[in-house]
Amino acid sequence: MNVHIFTTGRGTPYGLAMAPVIKVASNSGLTRKWPDLIDLDAGTIASGEATVEEVGWALFRMVLDVASGRKKTWADQWGLHNDLVLFNPGPVT
């Protein structure tokens, strides 16, 4: 089983049906704007509210909770599932 960790600074609504996707916001404003899309607010590092280590441990605990089925990601809760594309069919620049 895989757990994807997707970092976003813009709030991309990304999720996969075949693997849970934990969305991590790089800024707290995004978390405040979309609290029902963001699973973890890493913007607290930039604001000084938390250290890299504290957020890292919070993410680690969240991965364990999601992988064990104790917690659902927001994408799974709302059924936001994108197609999984293993190889990008478009040109790479």
Side-chain angles (χ1 to χ4, degrees), residues 23-29 31-32 38-45 55:
K23 280 191 284 309
V24 179
S26 62
N27 64 78
S28 296
T31 304
R32 287 189 296 275
I38 302 299
D39 298 300
L40 183 72
D41 179 10
T44 55
I45 297 168
V55 174

Side-chain angles (χ1 to χ4, degrees), residues 24-86:
V24 179
S26 62
N27 64 78
S28 296
L30 183 62
T31 304
R32 287 189 296 275
K33 187 174 181 180
W34 289 303
D36 59 345
L37 292 178
I38 302 299
D39 298 300
L40 183 72
D41 179 10
T44 55
I45 297 168
S47 66
E49 297 170 61
T51 65
V52 172
E53 183 177 3
E54 290 168 334
V55 174
W57 279 111
L59 178 58
F60 179 72
R61 287 188 297 275
M62 183 172 286
V63 168
L64 293 178
D65 286 343
V66 169
S68 70
R70 288 188 298 261
K71 181 174 178 61
K72 278 185 151 189
T73 65
W74 279 112
D76 285 339
Q77 179 153 340
W78 299 120
L80 300 173
H81 300 131
N82 303 86
D83 291 333
L84 177 63
V85 179
L86 296 177

Side-chain angles (χ1 to χ4, degrees), residues 1-22:
M1 181 60 172
N2 288 303
V3 175
H4 289 218
I5 299 172
F6 183 81
T7 58
T8 182
R10 303 174 94 184
T12 305
Y14 172 74
L16 296 172
M18 58 185 63
V21 178
I22 297 172

